[in-house]
Amino acid sequence: MKITDAVSGALLIALGLFMFWQASLFPSFGGQPYGAALLPSILAGGFILGGGLLILRDVMARRQAAGGPLVSLVPELRQGTGMAALLAVLGNVLAQIWLAQPLGFIPVSVAGLLVLFLVLRLRPWVAAALAVGTSMVCWWLFAGLLRVPLPRGILDGVL
Amino acid sequence: MGFGDILLQALLLVLDPQVLLTALLAGMFGMFVGAMPGLTATMATALLVPMTFFMDPIPALAAIVSASSMAIFAGDIPGALLRIPGTPASAAYVEDSHRLALKGKLNLALGTNLLVSCIGGLFGVGVLIAAAPLLAEFALRFTSYEYFWLAALGLSCAIFIASADPLKAGIALLIGLAMATVGLDPTTGVPRFTLGHVDLMAGVEFIPAMIGLFALAEVMRGVIRLNHNAPPPPMPAGEGALFKGVGGVIRRHPKNIVRGSLMGTLIGALPGAGADIAAWMAYAVSKRFSKTPEKYGKGHVEGLVDASAANNAAVGGAWIPALVFGIPGDSVTAIVIGVLYMKGMNPGPTVFIQNPQLIYAVFMIFILTTLMMVPLGWAAVKASRQVLRVPSRVLLPIVLSFCIVGAFAMTNSVFGIVIMLAIGLLGWVLEENGFPVAPIILGLVLGGMFERMFMTSMIKSAGDLTAFFERPIAAVLGVCVLLIWGMALFGAVRRMARGRAAA
C-alpha cells in the first residue's frame, strides 16, 4: 500500500486530534497540575506538527513535479502471486486468532500453511509434508518443551 | 563480596552445561537466520525471545548474545556468494566481497570477514567490560533530570543521526512513544487509550510488537516480492583452506581493524544506531583515508576489514547504554532490555551493585560467544552452499509459524497474535512509504522511562523548566540535546532556503 505523504500527514493530524480529545477526558487530580494527560497531549501536538510538515513538503514537491495518485497498491502486489500470497499470510494469522480456540492449533496451522505453500507454488506433496512437519515442530517445541497452552481443539483427546 | 568472588560466581553461572548448550544452539540458529537473505539479526533475536522467556536470566541472555553476534557475521556469507547481504549490516561492503569471490578469492573474503568480525567483536566487548562498570558508578548519582535528558538524547540520535529522513523518523518515534502511553498511566494509574480492553491495561505487549515489526512485516514483504521465474543465482567457487592468506591481510591492515572496531563500538553505543550504520560509516571513513580509494567497490579487501570489524564491534558497544542506563543502543538491545525487565533484572546502575555476578557473567558470555564465532562461522561457510539453496517460499511460511506461536506464547492467549498482526501491518505500510521502523521500537521501549522521568522531574520542579538544567551533568546533556535539535533545524531551514533560491 503506497500512501502519499499528504494523505499520511492528514491521517497523522487526525490521530493527533483524537489523542488530544482522549487526553482531555483523562481525570485530573486536585493539587497536581501535571497528570496523565501531559505527555499524550505533547505527543498529540507532535503528530499534528509532523503531519502538517509532511503535507507541506508533499505540496511543495508536487509543485515542481506532478505527483502520482494519493493512494495506490505496491506494484509487486499486482504481479504474479503477490496479492494471493499476502492474503494467505494474513489468512493464516487471522485463522489462528478466530479458529484456533474451537479447532485447535494443529489443524488450523496445517490447513493454513498448506494453502500458503500451494499459493507459493510448491508441489502438493512437498507442501503437505512441510505444512504437517512445521506444525508438529512448533507444537513439540512450544506446547511440549515450553508448556505454552496452545489450543488443543478437536485433538483434545489425542494429544 | 570481593572482586574475585564475583568473578568466580559469574564463571560458575556461565560454565553451567545448560548455558553453554543454549549458547551453542542459539549461535547455530543465529548463523542460519543471519545467512538467509531477508532474515535479519533483529528477527533472529525477536523469534528467539519467546523461547528464552521460559529460561533463567543467564541462559536467556546467552542465547540472545550468541544469536545476535553470529547473525551479524553470517550476513556476510550470502553477500560474498550471491551479492545479497544476509542482514543490513553486511550491505556496506557486499560489492567488494562478491567481486573478491568472483576473482576466485571467496575464501579470502569470508575468512577475513570471520576473523576480523571476531577481533572487532572482542574489541567491542573489551570496551563494554572496561566502560560499563565505570559509567555505572557515575550513573549512580543520576537523578530523574539526568535520565530524562539521556532518554531524550537517545531519542534525538535515533531521529537525526540514524536516519535518512529525520521528519519520517521523528514521526515513527512519536508512534512508538504514543504506543508506550497505552495502558495504566505510571504516575496516576489512569487507564489511557485502552479502548475499553482489559488486555491493553498493561500496555502494548513489547515482544509481540517486536515480532510483528521485524518478523511478520518482513514475511509479508518477502512473499509479495517472491519471483518464481528467477533462476537460482550462480555461486562462485571457493577452493582451499578458509583462512589461507587472511593472516597477511590482518597484518597489513592493523590500523583499519582498530579504527573500524573503535568506530563500531562508539556508533553501537549511540542509542538508535546499530551495526548497519556502523558498517556504512566505517566503510566510508576507510575509503576517505585510504591510499587507494579508487579500488573500493571493485573487490578491494581494505574496506571490508574496517566495516566487518565495525559491525561486530557495534554488537558489544550497543550493550553499554543498555546495561548502564537501560537505554538501548540498537534494536537488538531494545529486545534485551525488554527481556531484562521480564526477568526482574531491571537494567541500570543498581544491577552493577546488587547483582554484579550477573553482569560479569554476561561479559564472559560475550567473550565466549565471540570466540565461538570462529569454529561456528567456519562450519557455516562450509555448509552455506547447501543452506542457501533453501528457497524463500519454503522458509517464509515456516518463519510465519514461529511468529504466530511466539506471539501467542508471550501472552498465553491470542491477544499476543492480535498485537503482532496489528503492529506488523502498521510496520509494513510504514516501511513501504519510507518511514523507518527502528525508531518505533526505540520509542516503545524508552517511552515508559522517558515519561516516568519527565513526570517525576516536572512534579519535583513544579513545572519550572530551568530545573532541568540546574545540575551540572543534566545541563551538559540538555545542551547536547538542544544542540542536536538546533543544528538539525538550522540545516533544514538552510536547505529550504537554497531550494527556494534554485527554484
Side-chain angles (χ1 to χ4, degrees):
Chain A
M1 189 87 107
K2 290 264 185 223
I3 304 167
T4 323
D5 283 357
V7 177
S8 324
L11 289 173
L12 287 167
I13 291 178
L15 175 66
L17 291 174
F18 171 77
M19 280 177 70
F20 254 134
W21 170 64
Q22 282 280 308
S24 69
L25 302 179
F26 295 154
S28 58
F29 294 84
Q32 186 139 303
Y34 311 106
L38 181 59
L39 187 71
S41 306
I42 296 175
L43 295 176
F47 278 122
I48 294 171
L49 182 71
L53 284 173
L54 266 186
I55 295 177
L56 187 71
R57 205 169 69 171
D58 200 31
V59 168
M60 279 167 71
R62 269 160 196 275
R63 216 181 273 167
Q64 290 175 355
L70 292 178
V71 177
S72 60
L73 280 180
V74 180
E76 284 87 350
L77 275 176
R78 289 195 218 141
Q79 294 160 3
T81 54
M83 181 59 100
L86 178 65
L87 292 178
V89 166
L90 296 179
N92 262 284
V93 181
L94 289 173
Q96 288 291 351
I97 293 172
W98 286 323
L99 302 179
Q101 274 313 324
L103 297 180
F105 168 78
I106 293 183
V108 174
S109 173
V110 170
L113 283 175
L114 184 65
V115 171
L116 178 56
F117 278 126
L118 288 175
V119 167
L120 297 178
R121 296 195 195 157
L122 254 66
R123 275 192 294 271
W125 66 271
V126 181
L130 279 171
V132 172
T134 307
S135 308
M136 296 311 286
V137 168
C138 280
W139 178 271
W140 169 76
L141 204 60
F142 280 86
L145 278 183
L146 302 175
R147 309 258 164 228
V148 174
L150 290 173
R152 290 160 179 266
I154 50 172
L155 295 177
D156 197 15
V158 189
L159 292 165
Chain B
M1 193 158 53
F3 189 62
D5 293 332
I6 296 173
L7 284 187
L8 187 69
Q9 274 194 23
L11 197 65
L12 288 178
L13 281 172
V14 174
L15 290 183
D16 182 344
Q18 195 207 342
V19 174
L20 297 176
L21 185 69
T22 310
L24 182 71
L25 290 177
M28 285 158 61
F29 174 74
M31 277 287 176
F32 176 75
V33 174
M36 298 313 289
L39 313 188
T40 63
T42 315
M43 191 202 270
T45 319
L47 290 177
L48 202 61
V49 167
M51 288 180 228
T52 61
F53 186 59
F54 301 90
M55 302 175 187
D56 290 332
I58 290 301
L61 291 172
I64 294 173
V65 170
S66 182
S68 59
S69 25
M70 304 295 171
I72 294 290
F73 158 69
D76 297 346
I77 301 175
L81 274 170
L82 304 172
R83 207 170 146 262
I84 309 169
T87 67
S90 303
Y93 46 88
V94 68
E95 202 59 54
D96 279 301
S97 62
H98 185 62
R99 289 200 185 198
L100 277 170
L102 289 179
K103 286 184 202 165
K105 293 183 183 164
L106 174 72
N107 282 344
L108 180 74
L110 284 177
T112 308
N113 280 147
L114 180 52
L115 286 191
V116 173
S117 291
C118 178
I119 298 173
L122 286 176
F123 187 97
V125 179
V127 175
L128 168 69
I129 294 175
L134 289 178
L135 275 176
E137 208 152 299
F138 188 61
L140 277 176
R141 281 171 287 166
F142 282 15
T143 60
S144 63
Y145 298 114
E146 281 87 359
Y147 274 110
F148 166 77
W149 283 120
L150 263 181
L153 189 64
L155 298 174
S156 311
C157 283
I159 301 178
F160 294 115
I161 295 173
S163 81
D165 187 344
L167 177 56
K168 288 192 169 174
I171 290 169
L173 183 65
L174 284 176
I175 292 174
L177 287 172
M179 275 185 209
T181 63
V182 174
L184 294 181
D185 165 50
T187 39
T188 58
V190 176
R192 300 187 293 188
F193 306 113
T194 54
L195 310 170
H197 281 283
V198 181
D199 287 314
L200 278 176
M201 288 279 204
V204 174
E205 193 80 32
F206 168 67
I207 300 294
M210 194 81 202
I211 296 177
L213 270 185
F214 288 99
L216 181 65
E218 215 57 60
V219 169
M220 285 159 60
R221 218 185 332 276
V223 294
I224 293 171
R225 306 244 151 110
L226 271 183
N227 186 350
H228 301 283
N229 302 324
M235 297 184 202
E239 292 105 36
L242 182 59
F243 298 120
K244 197 173 159 220
V246 175
V249 172
I250 291 177
R251 269 196 301 279
R252 274 196 302 282
H253 301 290
K255 212 174 73 189
N256 299 63
I257 295 180
V258 173
R259 187 175 57 201
S261 303
L262 194 64
M263 282 189 67
T265 313
L266 291 178
I267 294 169
L270 271 185
D276 40 349
I277 292 157
W280 281 110
M281 287 180 79
Y283 187 84
V285 167
S286 172
K287 188 173 174 182
R288 171 82 182 69
F289 289 102
S290 169
K291 289 191 192 92
T292 53
E294 71 283 353
K295 288 190 186 163
Y296 279 66
K298 292 177 186 146
H300 191 46
V301 81
E302 200 178 338
L304 203 103
V305 172
D306 273 273
S308 297
N311 60 16
N312 273 88
V315 175
W319 282 67
I320 299 174
L323 283 178
V324 179
F325 307 117
I327 292 179
D330 62 0
S331 20
V332 172
T333 41
I335 309 181
V336 170
I337 288 177
V339 172
L340 288 173
Y341 274 114
M342 286 192 303
K343 302 281 173 208
M345 238 174 106
N346 295 0
T350 43
V351 185
F352 286 76
I353 297 172
Q354 287 161 359
N355 290 311
Q357 75 283 6
L358 290 181
I359 297 288
Y360 281 90
V362 172
F363 292 164
M364 285 178 193
I365 289 166
F366 249 111
I367 298 175
L368 191 78
T369 51
T370 312
L371 293 174
M372 204 163 77
M373 187 154 65
V374 176
L376 269 185
W378 180 84
V381 171
K382 292 286 163 197
S384 59
R385 276 162 204 288
Q386 280 69 44
V387 172
L388 285 176
R389 278 184 221 284
V390 178
S392 297
R393 53 195 176 137
V394 170
L395 207 58
L396 291 171
I398 297 176
V399 173
L400 174 67
S401 293
F402 277 89
C403 294
I404 292 172
V405 281
F408 183 97
M410 297 319 292
T411 55
N412 278 344
S413 68
V414 290
F415 186 64
I417 310 181
V418 174
I419 290 185
M420 172 190 80
L421 178 64
I423 294 183
L425 275 172
L426 177 74
W428 176 65
V429 171
L430 285 176
E431 197 146 25
E432 289 294 331
N433 290 291
F435 292 88
V437 294
I440 299 181
I441 223 64
L442 198 68
L444 186 55
V445 174
L446 273 183
M449 168 181 171
F450 182 71
E451 178 166 25
R452 256 194 331 276
M453 295 305 163
F454 177 58
M455 293 308 292
T456 314
S457 305
M458 285 300 271
I459 291 167
K460 267 199 304 204
S461 69
D464 177 12
L465 290 179
T466 56
F468 281 77
F469 294 94
E470 265 166 16
R471 294 168 56 88
I473 303 170
V476 171
L477 290 169
V479 169
C480 284
V481 173
L482 296 182
L483 268 179
I484 292 179
W485 278 87
M487 268 155 53
L489 289 179
F490 180 69
V493 169
R494 209 171 55 172
R495 266 197 307 281
M496 222 180 241
R498 215 181 279 160
R500 280 269 167 81

